[in-house]
Amino acid sequence: MNEYLKQYIELQKQFRETKGKADSVRALYAFKEELEQSEDTQAKEVLVYVWYSQEEKIVSTQPRPGYQEIGFASLEEWFNFIQALTKDGYRIT
């Protein structure tokens, strides 16, 4: 797992634990901006695709059998999608 993904998972954990308090939201937006500006391909890989299961309410950054794959044309689309799922109780793995 790359360092960007580890950081993203930690920020999402903080977001859930604080129930979306302002500091955790600001940290996620700052991270999104950092990834957008990065030239590192590993940074971009964190944001391009996710796989999710509506039945299990899980979002994964890795392919999983039976999960739906979705790709995003922009980081903003990706971020909004992830944020909506976490608000609906999805866990990120």
Side-chain angles (χ1 to χ4, degrees):
M1 178 181 309
N2 76 48
E3 292 304 312
Y4 295 105
L5 184 54
K6 287 179 187 176
Q7 185 177 355
Y8 170 70
I9 291 169
E10 183 58 34
L11 289 170
Q12 279 294 334
K13 181 180 171 187
Q14 291 171 8
F15 176 82
R16 287 190 307 275
E17 288 174 353
T18 64
K19 296 182 171 54
K21 290 203 174 174
D23 287 344
S24 67
V25 173
R26 279 192 291 272
L28 280 167
Y29 274 105
F31 183 61
K32 176 181 102 48
E33 290 174 7
E34 176 187 337
L35 293 175
E36 286 176 327
Q37 294 174 10
S38 176
E39 297 295 322
D40 189 335
T41 57
Q42 286 189 335
K44 304 300 184 198
E45 288 171 2
V46 172
L47 303 176
V48 177
Y49 290 96
V50 296
W51 291 262
Y52 68 102
S53 168
Q54 291 178 326
E55 184 177 302
E56 297 176 20
K57 286 201 146 196
I58 293 176
V59 179
S60 177
T61 57
Q62 302 294 318
R64 294 186 175 223
Y67 280 32
Q68 296 177 6
E69 176 183 345
I70 185 167
F72 301 92
S74 74
L75 299 177
E76 186 173 347
E77 287 178 24
W78 168 85
F79 187 78
N80 290 338
F81 180 80
I82 295 295
Q83 190 173 35
L85 290 181
T86 56
K87 283 182 180 178
D88 286 340
Y90 280 70
R91 292 181 304 129
I92 298 176
T93 62

